[in-house]
Amino acid sequence: GAVVSQHPSRVICKSGTSVKIECRSLDFQATTMFWYRQFPKQSLMLMATSNEGSKATYEQGVEKDKFLINHASLTLSTLTVTSAHPEDSSFYICSASYGGLTEAFFGQGTRLTVV
Amino acid sequence: GENVEQHPSTLSVQEGDSAVIKCTYSDSASNYFPWYKQELGKRPQLIIDIRSNVGEKKDQRIAVTLNKTAKHFSLHITETQPEDSAVYFCAALGGSGNTGKLIFGQGTTLQVKP
């Protein structure tokens, strides 16, 4: 299957600072990527759809000014958590697919801890 | 909006027994239904998927059934083994135009006792 790489795998940051998470499709081009957030013992909640060359589409309740998404190339999407607070501590995970009715490939996830 | 309900939230079985997890979805336009296994702190791994033009699919000890009329789909694991213990998520491909947006169920923690 295809490979999606996410970096960093773990990050600890101070409250009020910003953190950038990268998601790369290593062996295929992805015009669309997805960002999910997963709190402990909970499901994956879709945050936004990252569209190459255009603005991201955010799910209801997700603050677009707090979670900045940039999809500048067909192989890279970034999620920046701005002015992070302890309640933003979570497991963030991206996915990409070939499109259509096909398998979604997930990155390794990023464990964000805001102290 | 789109919604996927998954039951049960926890499931404990004896090694060798079968396990069944059920999901229902709300978006009648959904046409792709994957199942993922997730171990603690790791990414979800696809274990089986089914498309809406098929009613059942099997891969060794794992099978999935789909009832489009009732908007139900189920995961069946036979001859369970301790290494099957994990959290399992169902999902449905939501949104129009095959955008690839997956909506996940709440998850089922499966424990297989030796």
Side-chain angles (χ1 to χ4, degrees), chain B residues 29-95:
Chain B
S30 296
N31 49 15
Y32 174 67
F33 307 92
W35 285 88
Y36 290 90
K37 176 182 180 182
Q38 187 181 32
E39 296 178 351
L40 190 63
K42 297 190 176 181
R43 75 183 91 191
Q45 296 282 354
L46 180 73
I47 56 171
I48 196 167
D49 56 12
I50 191 168
R51 291 168 177 77
S52 60
N53 58 344
V54 176
E56 184 174 357
K57 183 177 178 181
K58 189 173 181 180
D59 183 3
Q60 300 182 341
R61 297 188 296 110
I62 296 172
V64 56
T65 59
L66 171 64
N67 182 329
K68 278 213 74 179
T69 303
K71 293 190 279 188
H72 290 173
F73 58 115
S74 300
L75 176 71
H76 304 252
I77 305 174
T78 59
E79 301 173 30
T80 53
Q81 301 165 3
E83 50 265 38
D84 293 330
S85 297
V87 181
Y88 291 81
F89 292 98
C90 63
L93 193 67

Side-chain angles (χ1 to χ4, degrees), chain A residues 4 32 34 36 38 41-44 46 49 59 91 93 97 99-104 106-109 111, chain B residues 2 31-32 36 38 41-46 49 51-52 89 93 98-107:
Chain A
V4 175
T32 305
F34 301 90
Y36 295 84
Q38 186 177 32
K41 298 186 178 181
Q42 293 190 22
S43 186
L44 287 82
L46 181 66
T49 302
E59 295 299 303
F91 189 59
I93 190 163
S97 73
L101 307 183
T102 58
E103 177 181 354
F106 287 88
Q108 304 95 315
R111 173 71 60 191
Chain B
E2 304 103 344
N31 49 15
Y32 174 67
Y36 290 90
Q38 187 181 32
K42 297 190 176 181
R43 75 183 91 191
Q45 296 282 354
L46 180 73
D49 56 12
R51 291 168 177 77
S52 60
F89 292 98
L93 193 67
N98 293 332
T99 60
K101 185 170 76 170
L102 284 174
I103 306 300
F104 284 83
Q106 294 87 342

